[in-house]
Amino acid sequence: MTTPLLVQSLAALSVPALAGATVLGLRGRRERAGATAGAELLRGRIAELEEQCAELERTASCDPLTGVWNYRHLQLTLDREIERARRAEHTEQAEGPRPLAVLMLAINGFDAVVAEHGRARAGAVLRDLAQRLAMEIRRADTLGRYGGEDFLVVLPDTGVEGAAQVAERLVWSVRRHLLLDWSSGPRESRPAAGNGLTAACGIAVLPEDGTHAAVLLRAADTALAAARAAGGDCWRLSVERPGESERPRTDRSEQAAQGPGGRPDAEPGRSGKPGSLSACAGRNPLDQPVATHTAATAAGPRDVLS
């Protein structure tokens, strides 16, 4: 076969091969483009599902009225922190489990708010107060609604004195918090006796009061009952510790007249500074502040409001 004829034959045979290769190349390009678009669509769908899952988790753990953690999340958090505190006893060669404090806080006087403003507005007041209380704890702590106007605070790595400081600060915040005002006129000045709300707080500490969630909650509830029996507006420990002495409560009007510097808002058994100790609580742990419990700027549900 001569060379020109051979070249013509090869050219004739290469045309279909070239056409087939072109078709295959275009098809592969379309398939890769389709796979890229499908992967982008899949990633978008996964991100959407993750967002919806996070929203469901937030809804399941957040109290819809107050915006802080709900009872379910409190139980899970308390169980987790107790296990963490007890595990430290073995992993860190400590003499005992790490301290853990539980505060049970009950708001008193809220029925008057409901009677005056109705339940819808009273719910807004309770939400505002809950958010204010959440600002008084650390980011590592957990505050949630235990039920009704009762709140529970879980304080990891916190002993008796640190818990007493937090309890005193929460009790003071409830009494002095400026409640929402729906009037169109000028806002009234804060009453000298407070806003009409008070709080009683019970404290239980691990391991002194128990090493299980049910036992700690029962001890905190017992301490709360003791604080209520003392007239409220104070905190109590579940068990009387050495050095905890009782001092009689004085009449609020008498103390206001005899307050330090003649201040009209002086209150029984308290110094002129915010957060000083309640009369029914005994000694003043604020004389030696615990650095681990300075006020935090955000403390509602941390991954939600936190």
Side-chain angles (χ1 to χ4, degrees), residues 138-155:
R138 304 169 303 178
R139 185 174 291 271
D141 301 331
T142 302
L143 179 142
R145 188 184 181 199
Y146 197 64
E149 289 85 50
D150 295 351
F151 295 88
L152 191 73
V153 187
V154 180
L155 306 173

Side-chain angles (χ1 to χ4, degrees), residues 66 68 105 125-137 143 151 169-170 172-179 190 195 274 295-300:
T66 60
V68 297
L105 189 78
V125 170
L126 185 62
R127 178 184 178 89
D128 183 58
L129 180 59
Q131 296 297 319
R132 179 66 184 87
L133 294 176
M135 296 176 64
E136 294 295 337
I137 61 175
L143 179 142
F151 295 88
R169 195 158 61 234
L170 294 178
W172 186 90
S173 296
V174 170
R175 186 188 335 105
R176 301 300 296 166
H177 180 57
L178 196 59
L179 301 182
R190 187 198 307 265
N195 54 24
T297 57

